Every structure is written in C-alpha cells, then in structure tokens.
Amino acid sequence: MTGASNRSVERAFRIVDELAENGGGRVSELADRLEMPVSTVHNYLQALVETGYVSVDDKEYTTTTRFLEVGHRQRHRLEVFQAVSDELQDIAAETGEHVTLMVEENDQCVIVAVQEGPDAVNLFAYPGARMPLHAAAPGKAILAHMPDDRVQEIIDRQGLIEMTNQTITDPDVLFDQLEEIREQGYAIDEGERIAGMVCISAPVLDKSDEIRGAICVCGPQSRIDEARRAEIADIVKRSANVTQVNLDYV
Amino acid sequence: MTGASNRSVERAFRIVDELAENGGGRVSELADRLEMPVSTVHNYLQALVETGYVSVDDKEYTTTTRFLEVGHRQRHRLEVFQAVSDELQDIAAETGEHVTLMVEENDQCVIVAVQEGPDAVNLFAYPGARMPLHAAAPGKAILAHMPDDRVQEIIDRQGLIEMTNQTITDPDVLFDQLEEIREQGYAIDEGERIAGMVCISAPVLDKSDEIRGAICVCGPQSRIDEARRAEIADIVKRSANVTQVNLDYV
DNA sequence: AATTTCATTCGGGAGAGCCGAAACACTTCT
DNA sequence: AGAAGTGTTTCGGCTCTCCCGAATGAAATT
C-alpha cells in the first residue's frame, strides 16, 4: 500500500483517460491538456499504439476496441451479470422504462448493463458509467447492505457530494434511509441525482447476504405516480430475487 | 514509426492482457506466466491499481469496469455504430439468428455490436472479439471494398490462416471471391471460420464509397437452406443500405 | 511447530525514459 | 513564391526511475 508507483504507467493511463474523454486527440492537443512536453506525449502515444490499445489515423489518436474486449470479458465473468440474464430485458419490456444493473467498485456505483424499454427517456447511461453511491437508488440499496462502518469509511473518503438540491448530504439522514431501505426491501430516489427523475432499485444479495449489486428502474417523475412506484418496486424486488437464486447456478 | 517504445507501457498492458485473458490473477501466477520477477509484477499491479484500471480484492487482481467505460465511450462515437441504430435488433427479430456489426481495425475484423435473435446459436461472440478478415463473411465484405493493394498488404502481413478446412488460403481464390462479392452486394461464408456455420454479410459504405463496416447474420447450416440464404442476403443488404443513409445524419 | 507458499518491502546500480532543440511536413498567409 | 506559422517527428545526452535480487513478513498446510 505504499505509493509504489510507476510514472510511465500513470502517464500512459492519463493519456488513455484523456483520449476516452474527448473521443481522441492529437499530439500537441494532448500535450497541452496534460501539461506534458509534446515529445513525451508523442513517445507515449507511439508506445500505446504498439500495445494495440490505441490507434492512429492521420495523426488523430483514438482508443481501440481492445477496451471493449477487455471490458466485456471481465463483465462476462461477473457472477451477478450472468445471474441477471434476461431479467433486465423482461423488466424493460414490462415497465417500458430505463433499466440498469449496477455494482459497487472503488466506492462508486457503476453501471454494468443497460436495457432501454420502449418508453425510456434518454439518459447518458452506458456500461461503465459511474456515479456516487449516496445519490442514486441503486447506490443506496447497495450501501444499505454493507456494514455501517464500511458505509462510514466511504462517506469519509468520498463525502456526500450534492448533485441536485434533493441529494442527501447529511450522514444521519442517509443512515436513517438505509435502515428504511432494509425494512422495505427496495430503495427509491426522487430527483436526488437527476432532477425530475425517479429511480427505484432492489439489492441483489447472495446466500451469505453479501451485497452483489442492484437492479434499477428509472423514469420521469411525471409518468410514475404513487401506484406505479409500488408496482415497479414489486417488479424490481421480484427480479432481484430471481437473480439471487440464479447466483447459485452460475 | 521507429520503435519509439516504452518498456513500462508495454509491460503494463501485457499484464492487463493476461488479466483479461484469465479473468484475473495473483502476483506470482502472473509473474510465472509473463516470465517477470515477482517484485516487478507486484510493482506494476500496484501502479495499475492506482490508475483505477485494475483492482485488487484479497490478493486477486482483476481489471475494472474502466475498460467497459472507455470501450463504450469509443463505440458510442463510432459513426457506423450510431447509424446502425436499431437495425441489428430488427434483423435479429426477423431472422431469429445471431446478428453482428463488424468493423476493420489493425488488419482484423472486430465485433462492435451483437444482437442475438430468439433462435441464435451460442457463439463466443462479444463486442471487441477479433477474427481474421479473410475467414469470415463480414471480413470478406470489408476486404471487397478496399483497394486491391491494401488487401495484398494485409495478406502479406497477416497471411491467410486456416481456421477450418473450408477457410480460403489461396490469395487468387480470395481475390476472385472479392470480385464476386462486389457484384452480388453481399458475402457468404460456409463454415470457413467455424465448421457448420454459415454467415451472410453486407458491407456498409459511406457516400464516398469508403468501407465503414459490415452487418452479418450467422446460423447453423442445417437451418439455412438455399432459399433462406437469399432471404437473409436481402435483409442484410437492406439494412446495410438503411445504415448507409443514416450515416449522413449522425 | 515446522515447512512451504506467496505477497510485500528495500535499496543500490544500470539503463530507460525524459524533454529541449532541431529537423521536417503542411498550411496559410503576404 | 517565399515566408511565417502550426504541428509532428527525430535525436541524444543527462538524470532519475524503474528493476530485480534478497530479505522480511504473512498465511496456509503438514
């Protein structure tokens, strides 16, 4: 855990991040943004091209499909992803809304899979997208099934960043809600991450009650009234349960 | 184009490749396989963890969802992927088979998107998966719309590797087929990559007649007779055409 | 308790990466 | 055309960083 680092590795991935962020770039442009000498950036890009993870076409450098490949291979091995199988598609068809499978990684809530129902609003949601745990229904569902001290550690490290004026920023309020989530078996967020959106999410636990992820349905508040919420809550709870059972057979 | 390399970058990605290949690994295991000193591998893993692209849980190192993220962001910016929009899904529903969008990258044929129809056989096909251009219908469709000298370069660099006893390994035969593909507007492969599978694919060209990718339907030979092939050929040609038109509006 | 296996830390030496400067390739002015 | 501007690529010597053997620490196994 000492900072046994490696400058080259760090820089290489900073360049990759920058390429991903802007969908590619040229030598001097990147050198500018990263505040590195052009020749250095040039060297790195050359090295990255040799690895096959970056390619260059007419001086424009971009990441390659290698990232897709590595990402999908890893996802394919993720048990909860295998266990959820067709559930997301079924929920999307049944609710018409935007459905996601999410997991925790490095103190954050990450989308693993997305399925858009016929009426889904266009969210900027793609596999790998990250968000704070406290500001989203699936994140809260996940936190609710972690030990309290682990939750506290995450709060200490990450803080409770405000994403909308509805975001929970008070630890006490958060802990109270986590208690409530455990009782009712699902989490709900009313514009806490994106104004005007309501998300309903159920946690997926394994047989040792370890939290593995959460299934989440998102839609505009206008379309999802009290009765519809209860309906969706039942659906996500049912699917989370099916997924839990499937976990034993992956 | 000089070998302006960087050992650290190369090694870092070799480790990533190894992790992706085996779905994770431990220090000494990786050191063994990569023939590097354990302490060195340890240092690299440490550095990779710091970048966020690798994570460690109880001494087991794995790639993180960062790869998914970078991969999906890049894919989202790929024009042909945007242009194909719901076509893959439509074809999958219509044919019931396995449908893919493929592009050329670094002399290879890469899957960009997959859609499985209700009767699809279970292929080991995921976004980012790679295969030789000459041994698959989409690859041949792509080659057919490259300048001949570029095709020759690819043959020179990559060879015509035999994947089944049906694979084309003679350049002359290949060039003849490419001519035929250009005439009929689609490519077909009969167990040239996977024994017992037939794949039918149409090229997607942009308005400058530049090749952008290919749409492909795969299924077992037993289920796809002469008449069905003609039917599927029409479908992929139609979709490729729709995609071409969409290319102007992305 | 002893033994094996594996992860982690340490540190001195060597070689690898670093980056300024110069050369080169292309555009866009005057 | 020529000149000036913009950005990429090559070069090379100095320095600093990565490298890896060896020692230590931590766990599992006998």
Side-chain angles (χ1 to χ4, degrees), chain A residues 6 87 108 169 220 233:
Chain A
N6 176 319
E87 287 297 319
Q108 291 194 293
T169 52

Side-chain angles (χ1 to χ4, degrees), chain B:
Chain B
M1 274 303 130
T2 45
S5 196
N6 176 318
R7 179 153 70 146
S8 298
V9 173
E10 187 212 315
R11 288 177 151 196
F13 280 96
R14 267 179 65 209
I15 290 174
V16 167
D17 283 340
E18 199 60 34
L19 288 173
E21 192 78 31
N22 301 83
R26 328 187 103 229
V27 177
S28 55
E29 185 189 333
L30 292 164
D32 236 36
R33 253 203 289 273
L34 297 170
E35 297 182 356
M36 294 189 202
V38 273
S39 54
T40 303
V41 173
H42 181 259
N43 278 346
Y44 274 97
L45 286 170
Q46 219 69 349
L48 285 166
V49 168
E50 258 168 44
T51 65
Y53 280 84
V54 167
S55 76
V56 54
D57 185 42
D58 194 32
K59 327 218 149 163
E60 178 78 18
Y61 292 83
T62 47
T63 55
T64 69
T65 54
R66 265 246 153 75
F67 286 92
L68 258 194
E69 181 179 10
V70 174
H72 276 270
R73 291 181 90 137
Q74 185 244 340
R75 180 169 86 163
H76 190 72
R77 285 184 222 259
L78 196 64
E79 290 186 340
V80 70
F81 173 74
Q82 288 183 55
V84 87
S85 74
D86 298 325
E87 287 296 320
L88 299 190
Q89 218 162 338
D90 295 350
I91 303 176
E94 199 170 341
T95 63
E97 302 289 356
H98 197 280
V99 187
T100 48
L101 172 66
M102 317 205 65
V103 300
E104 181 272 340
E105 183 182 275
N106 289 329
D107 290 356
Q108 291 194 293
C109 191
V110 187
I111 299 180
V112 169
V114 184
Q115 193 61 240
E116 292 185 6
D119 312 319
V121 293
N122 194 11
L123 297 171
F124 190 55
Y126 50 89
R130 246 169 279 282
M131 59 199 69
L133 286 161
H134 71 282
K140 292 194 290 182
I142 290 169
L143 288 174
H145 295 274
M146 283 178 175
D148 277 4
D149 55 351
R150 175 124 185 256
V151 176
Q152 188 58 55
E153 276 170 35
I154 293 176
I155 296 175
D156 292 345
R157 277 195 298 263
Q158 307 289 323
L160 295 177
I161 295 162
E162 179 170 315
M163 303 204 66
T164 70
N165 56 14
Q166 296 298 308
T167 309
I168 299 172
T169 53
D170 180 341
D172 294 337
V173 176
L174 181 60
F175 277 108
D176 284 352
Q177 266 212 23
L178 298 187
E179 180 57 38
E180 201 180 321
I181 291 165
R182 279 190 290 271
E183 274 161 26
Q184 61 192 17
Y186 70 92
I188 186 160
D189 117 46
E190 301 260 13
E192 291 163 34
R193 187 172 70 91
I194 299 171
M197 289 290 293
V198 53
C199 302
I200 299 165
S201 176
V204 178
L205 301 163
D206 62 20
K207 56 185 165 188
S208 338
D209 274 337
E210 211 67 53
I211 182 75
R212 295 296 197 97
I215 293 171
C216 178
V217 172
C218 287
Q221 286 175 317
S222 59
R223 190 155 69 196
I224 302 180
D225 61 18
E226 203 61 47
R228 190 90 197 291
R229 277 165 216 202
E231 220 176 276
I232 291 175
D234 282 343
I235 293 172
V236 292
K237 277 163 78 175
R238 184 208 62 201
S239 268
N241 181 237
V242 171
T243 305
Q244 176 180 34
V245 173
N246 287 344
L247 270 176
D248 278 350
Y249 301 103
V250 291

Side-chain angles (χ1 to χ4, degrees), chain A:
Chain A
M1 275 299 132
T2 45
S5 197
N6 176 319
R7 178 154 68 146
S8 297
V9 174
E10 188 211 314
R11 289 178 152 197
F13 280 96
R14 268 180 64 209
I15 290 174
V16 167
D17 283 340
E18 199 59 34
L19 288 174
E21 192 77 34
N22 300 84
R26 329 189 102 228
V27 176
S28 57
E29 185 190 333
L30 292 163
D32 236 36
R33 252 203 291 272
L34 298 169
E35 296 183 358
M36 293 189 203
V38 273
S39 55
T40 303
V41 173
H42 180 259
N43 278 346
Y44 273 96
L45 286 170
Q46 217 70 347
L48 284 166
V49 168
E50 257 168 47
T51 66
Y53 280 83
V54 167
S55 75
V56 53
D57 185 41
D58 194 33
K59 320 211 157 170
E60 178 78 18
Y61 291 84
T62 48
T63 55
T64 68
T65 54
R66 265 250 154 72
F67 285 93
L68 258 195
E69 181 179 10
V70 174
H72 276 269
R73 291 181 89 137
Q74 185 243 342
R75 179 168 87 163
H76 189 73
R77 286 184 221 258
L78 197 64
E79 289 185 343
V80 71
F81 173 74
Q82 288 183 55
V84 87
S85 73
D86 299 324
E87 287 297 319
L88 298 190
Q89 217 163 337
D90 294 349
I91 303 176
E94 199 171 342
T95 63
E97 302 288 357
H98 198 279
V99 187
T100 47
L101 171 67
M102 317 206 64
V103 301
E104 181 271 342
E105 183 182 274
N106 290 329
D107 290 356
Q108 291 194 293
C109 190
V110 187
I111 299 181
V112 169
V114 184
Q115 193 62 238
E116 294 185 4
D119 312 318
V121 292
N122 195 11
L123 298 170
F124 191 55
Y126 50 88
R130 249 168 278 279
M131 57 199 70
L133 286 160
H134 70 282
K140 293 194 290 183
I142 290 169
L143 289 174
H145 294 274
M146 282 180 175
D148 276 5
D149 54 351
R150 175 122 186 257
V151 176
Q152 189 58 56
E153 277 170 33
I154 293 175
I155 296 174
D156 292 346
R157 278 196 295 263
Q158 306 289 323
L160 295 177
I161 295 161
E162 179 172 314
M163 303 203 65
T164 69
N165 57 12
Q166 296 298 308
T167 309
I168 301 170
T169 52
D170 180 340
D172 294 337
V173 176
L174 181 61
F175 277 107
D176 284 351
Q177 265 212 24
L178 297 186
E179 180 58 36
E180 202 181 318
I181 290 165
R182 279 189 290 271
E183 274 161 27
Q184 59 192 17
Y186 70 93
I188 187 160
D189 116 46
E190 302 261 11
E192 291 164 33
R193 186 172 71 92
I194 300 170
M197 290 290 293
V198 53
C199 302
I200 299 164
S201 176
V204 178
L205 301 163
D206 63 20
K207 56 185 164 190
S208 339
D209 274 337
E210 211 68 52
I211 181 74
R212 296 297 196 96
I215 294 170
C216 178
V217 172
C218 286
Q221 286 175 317
S222 58
R223 192 155 69 196
I224 302 182
D225 62 18
E226 204 60 48
R228 190 90 197 291
R229 277 165 218 205
E231 218 176 279
I232 291 175
D234 282 343
I235 293 172
V236 292
K237 278 163 76 174
R238 184 208 63 199
S239 267
N241 182 238
V242 170
T243 305
Q244 175 179 36
V245 173
N246 287 345
L247 269 176
D248 279 350
Y249 301 103
V250 292

